[in-house]
Amino acid sequence: MLLASAVVVWEWLNEHGRWRPYSPAVSHHIEAVVRAGPRAGGSVVLGQVDSRLAPYIIDLHSMNQFRQDTGTLRPVRRNYYDPSSAPGKGVVWEWENDSGSWTPYDMEVGITIQHAYEKQHPWVDLTSIGFSYIIDFGTMGQINRQTQRQRRVRRRLDLIYPMVTGSLPKPQSWPVSPASPASPPGPPCACPQCVLVMSVKAAVAQGGTTPQPAAATRKNTVPLSGTVKLPSAPGPAAKPLDGMGTTRGPGKTTPAQGIRRQATSTVAGTVVGSPASPPGADSKAGRVALATLSRNNLQRLAIAQSRVLIASGVPTVPVKNLNGSSPVNPALAGITGILMSAAGLPVCLTRPPKLVLHPPPVSKSEIKSIPGVSNTSRKTTKKQAKKGKTPEEVLKKYLQKVRHPPEEDCTICMERLTAPSGYKGPQPTVKPDVVGKLSRCGHVYHIYCLVAMYNNGNKDGSLQCPTCKTIYGVKTGTQPPGKMEYHLIPHSLPGHPDCKTIRIIYSIPPGIQGPEHPNPGKSFSARGFPRHCYLPDSEKGRKVLKLLLVAWDRRLIFAIGTSSTTGESDTVIWNEVHHKTEFGSNLTGHGYPDANYLDNVLAELAAQGISEDSTAQEKD
C-alpha cells in the first residue's frame, strides 16, 4: 500500500498563494459532510462549527470556498499527512502577531517545527522550506534572519485532525461513501488506459520492462505539479526522503511531512485515500521490481501512461514539481502514477497554471504618467468633519417631516411609526415621536432613530438610508493615512492584449487608531504593504482609476478591522472595493482575465456613492 492511514487536513488558498489549514474542528465538520454522502447536499456551512466563519460555505462539487457577503471564491483542498506528524497528534504551532493574538503556521511549517522539537534540536532553520526564520526552542521565539526581529511562538494541543484508514476507493463522482459495498470484479477492460495499466502491472510483477509506444521514446520529462509524496522503499539501498524531496544519510528517520499526499481540487470530488495492493500481486515484490527499472525506462513508462490517459479523457491529478537541486527526479512521479493507476485510481501527470503576482521588471525610464490623470501619487490624511453643525442640523436638509405617519414599522427601532421611537441610548434633542421621510428614496423613519444612527457612524455630514442604501451628502470612511501611487507600465494584462497596464501601489504604515476606529488609542498593523494592483489602460480602466482616486481621497479603499484571511484583528483591511492583485494569472480570483471586473468595481464604487459626477464634485 502507498499509505495505510493518514490524517485529513482541509485547507484553503489565500491571496498570497499559501495553503492555510482550517482548524481541527472545522476539518472534522467538513469531513463529516464528505462521509455523509449525497444526502448531505454537497455544501458545508462553516458557521455551524465556528461563528467567525459564518459568511463562508464550501461547495464540495467545485472544491471552492464561497463568501456570501462579498461573493469571493477561494480554492480548497483535502490534504493528507502522516498520523505521526503534528496534525495527527493535535499539536499546533503559532506565532504572536502585532496585536498580541496568535496565528497558526502553515501546516507544512508546523510539521517541520514539530519534527525538530521532537528530535530535541535546540533550534530549526526554516530557510529550506522558503521562510527566512529561525525557531529557537530555548526561548520559544521566532527570529527573522534578515532583520533580527523576534516574535514569541507557542506550542499548544488541540483536537486531532480526522483520520482515514483502509484501501483507496474506486474513482467516482462526489461524494465517495465509505460505507459503499465493493462491487464484484468484472471482466478486464480493453480500453487503452487499462491495457497499459495491466502491462505495467505485468512488468512490475516480472521485474522487467513493458513494450513502449513509439511516441514514448522521446526524451521528455514528465510535467509535474501539485503534491504527491511517497516514502522510500525499505532496504539497505534506499535512503529515506525528507519533506523537501531530498535524501538523508543512513540512520536518519523520515520526517512526518515526507509521507503525505494530497487530493487537490483539480479533480472535483475525487477523494484520495490509501490504495490497496492489486489483487493477486505482492506489493513488496512489486516495489523491488520497480526499483530494478532504469531511470529511462521509468520515464518512458510515465510518459506513455500520461499520453494514453490524456487521450482517453481521464481526469488529471497534479504532482509536485521535483525538479531542481533535489536528486529525486521526475521518475518518482512516474512511479506514483503507475502505482496509483494499478490500484484503481486513473491519473495522468499535468502542469497547472502558475501564480503570477507581478509583471516582469520595469525600469524607471519605462514608467510613464497616465494621460488625462494629473500627478502620479496621492497622499491622504484624516479629514475632520465639518464643525458647527449638530446631527439634527445635518439631517434636516435630507428629511421632510411627516405629519400623519403610515401604519408600518420603523426599520431601525422596529416600533410602529405611529408610536414613539424604541431607541434607548443617549437621548437626541428631537422628540421621540417625530417622523421624517428621506427626500430622494422616500423611506420613512423616526427622526430620533436617524439622529442616533448618525451619532453612531462616521459623523461626516453624510447619511445612508438603512433600507435601500441611498447616500445623502458625501460619504467618507475611516481609512488610515497613507500614499497611493499610479503609473503606466509597458506590459499587457491577460485578456487585454491591445493596451498597457495601469499599476497602482498602496502604501499604509502601521500606527495608532483614532476616535473613528474600532479601538481608539490602540495600535494597528498594516500587513502586505505596499500592495500592487492592476487595471488595463483602456478607456474604462482609466475611468475606474479616476473613481478610485476619489475613493482614496474619501478614505473608502481601506479600513481597520479583522482580516478575513488571517483572522488578525486591529489590522488594515480592504473595504468592499475589490482590486486585482495578480498580474499574469487568476488562480485566486484576484487576477485577469476577468471580463466583468471593471463593471463590477464600478458598481461597488457606486454603492459607496462614487460615480462620474463625483469627479466633478472633487474639483469643485
Side-chain angles (χ1 to χ4, degrees):
M1 292 187 183
L2 292 179
L3 198 62
S5 63
V7 287
V8 177
V9 178
W10 283 84
E11 299 170 324
W12 56 276
L13 186 67
N14 70 12
E15 66 269 28
H16 304 298
R18 306 270 329 156
W19 287 99
R20 300 288 297 146
Y22 290 103
S23 68
V26 173
S27 288
H28 274 281
H29 180 59
I30 301 171
E31 196 67 14
V33 175
V34 170
R35 295 175 181 178
R39 66 179 183 272
S43 295
V44 186
V45 180
L46 301 187
Q48 292 178 348
V49 67
D50 188 339
S51 60
R52 296 172 298 178
L53 303 181
Y56 298 99
I57 293 175
I58 289 180
D59 176 38
L60 293 171
H61 297 280
S62 64
M63 294 293 280
N64 278 306
Q65 170 191 276
F66 174 66
R67 179 165 177 165
Q68 301 173 77
D69 53 352
T70 63
T72 303
L73 285 173
R74 295 188 185 276
V76 300
R77 70 182 185 183
R78 184 179 190 243
N79 217 355
Y80 293 80
Y81 295 90
D82 187 343
S84 65
S85 65
K89 297 178 178 178
V91 175
V92 179
W93 283 90
E94 299 173 321
W95 56 275
E96 186 179 32
N97 57 42
D98 289 341
S99 65
S101 56
W102 295 90
T103 301
Y105 284 98
D106 294 355
M107 190 56 65
E108 190 165 331
V109 178
I111 288 175
T112 302
I113 297 173
Q114 176 64 16
H115 178 70
Y117 180 84
E118 290 177 350
K119 293 293 183 181
Q120 297 184 351
H121 294 165
W123 51 269
V124 59
D125 189 344
L126 302 181
T127 305
S128 62
I129 56 174
F131 295 90
S132 184
Y133 297 106
I134 292 175
I135 306 299
D136 186 337
F137 296 121
T139 61
M140 289 300 282
Q142 169 190 282
I143 304 170
N144 188 312
R145 292 173 59 92
Q146 296 177 344
T147 66
Q148 298 303 307
R149 182 179 180 180
Q150 298 190 28
R151 295 180 183 273
R152 289 196 301 163
V153 300
R154 72 177 184 182
R155 177 182 181 270
R156 67 175 180 85
L157 295 179
D158 202 329
L159 292 174
I160 296 174
Y161 278 89
M163 182 82 69
V164 291
T165 58
S167 61
L168 182 66
K170 294 286 184 181
Q172 52 186 292
S173 60
W174 183 90
V176 176
S177 174
S180 301
S183 56
C189 179
C191 73
Q193 173 199 342
C194 292
V195 170
L196 177 64
V197 169
M198 293 305 295
S199 67
V200 170
K201 289 164 64 177
V204 169
Q206 297 171 9
T209 60
T210 66
Q212 302 299 324
T217 61
R218 300 176 187 172
K219 296 183 179 180
N220 293 355
T221 57
V222 182
L224 303 170
S225 59
T227 301
V228 172
K229 298 185 179 179
L230 292 174
S232 300
K239 295 181 181 180
L241 297 174
D242 68 10
M244 300 302 295
T246 58
T247 58
R248 296 191 175 195
K252 294 189 178 181
T253 58
T254 305
Q257 70 266 37
I259 48 174
R260 66 165 214 186
R261 301 196 306 118
Q262 158 188 325
T264 70
S265 58
T266 307
V267 189
T270 301
V271 181
V272 181
S274 52
S277 301
D282 186 334
S283 60
K284 183 175 181 181
R287 286 196 295 269
V288 174
L290 280 174
T292 64
L293 297 181
S294 68
R295 170 176 175 167
N296 289 338
N297 285 337
L298 287 172
Q299 288 182 339
R300 283 197 291 269
L301 282 173
I303 293 169
Q305 183 196 36
S306 294
R307 287 175 177 165
V308 172
L309 293 177
I310 293 172
S312 61
V314 172
T316 62
V317 171
V319 180
K320 185 176 182 180
N321 192 340
L322 297 175
N323 293 332
S325 59
S326 168
V328 181
N329 54 58
L332 179 58
I335 299 172
T336 303
I338 293 167
L339 292 177
M340 293 175 74
S341 293
L345 176 64
V347 295
C348 62
L349 309 178
T350 63
R351 185 187 302 279
K354 293 183 178 179
L355 183 71
V356 182
L357 290 177
H358 302 294
V362 179
S363 65
K364 289 185 178 180
S365 61
E366 293 177 306
I367 295 175
K368 305 295 182 183
S369 60
I370 303 167
V373 181
S374 60
N375 303 318
T376 58
S377 65
R378 193 81 60 92
K379 290 185 178 181
T380 185
T381 55
K382 179 183 175 182
K383 285 187 176 180
Q384 298 292 336
K386 295 180 180 179
K387 297 185 180 295
K389 288 189 176 181
T390 65
E392 292 80 358
E393 292 173 326
V394 171
L395 300 183
K396 184 177 180 180
K397 59 184 178 182
Y398 306 137
L399 292 169
Q400 299 171 354
K401 286 188 178 181
V402 177
R403 294 185 178 179
H404 303 289
E407 288 289 337
E408 57 187 50
D409 291 342
C410 169
T411 56
I412 299 176
C413 70
M414 301 311 295
E415 296 291 341
R416 304 295 287 179
L417 289 168
T418 52
S421 167
Y423 176 70
K424 302 299 182 184
Q427 302 298 312
T429 58
V430 295
K431 295 181 179 179
D433 56 352
V434 178
V435 174
K437 180 174 72 173
L438 291 171
S439 57
R440 286 165 51 198
C441 64
H443 288 108
V444 182
Y445 306 95
H446 292 115
I447 297 180
Y448 196 85
C449 294
L450 287 173
V451 170
M453 185 181 75
Y454 180 85
N455 282 328
N456 289 328
N458 201 24
K459 292 183 278 192
D460 57 359
S462 70
L463 180 71
Q464 188 164 14
C465 175
T467 300
C468 66
K469 308 304 179 185
T470 299
I471 296 173
Y472 295 82
V474 177
K475 179 182 177 181
T476 62
T478 60
Q479 174 182 292
K483 184 179 181 181
M484 175 183 179
E485 300 174 79
Y486 42 94
H487 49 248
L488 283 181
I489 58 175
H491 300 291
S492 298
L493 292 165
H496 299 274
D498 300 328
C499 59
K500 297 179 181 179
T501 297
I502 298 171
R503 178 166 63 184
I504 303 171
I505 303 175
Y506 293 111
S507 300
I508 295 180
I512 304 298
Q513 299 181 51
E516 74 275 27
H517 293 136
N519 296 297
K522 187 177 180 180
S523 62
F524 67 87
S525 61
R527 308 292 183 194
F529 288 95
R531 298 187 184 182
H532 291 227
C533 308
Y534 305 95
L535 292 169
D537 184 32
S538 60
E539 181 180 353
K540 187 176 287 188
R542 293 183 188 180
K543 176 182 176 181
V544 169
L545 173 64
K546 292 176 182 178
L547 297 184
L548 287 175
L549 288 170
V550 175
W552 174 261
D553 290 338
R554 296 183 183 178
R555 305 173 68 207
L556 292 169
I557 300 292
F558 296 98
I560 294 177
T562 300
S563 169
S564 60
T565 304
T566 65
E568 181 182 2
S569 58
D570 298 306
T571 191
V572 179
I573 60 175
W574 293 106
N575 187 35
E576 304 303 328
V577 179
H578 286 82
H579 286 63
K580 293 296 188 181
T581 54
E582 281 184 71
F583 175 81
S585 58
N586 195 17
L587 298 187
T588 64
H590 301 300
Y592 295 91
D594 186 341
N596 299 320
Y597 169 67
L598 296 178
D599 291 326
N600 290 342
V601 77
L602 286 172
E604 291 173 344
L605 288 164
Q608 300 283 355
I610 299 174
S611 62
E612 289 186 85
D613 296 336
S614 303
T615 56
Q617 291 178 10
E618 292 295 308
K619 291 178 182 178
D620 296 341

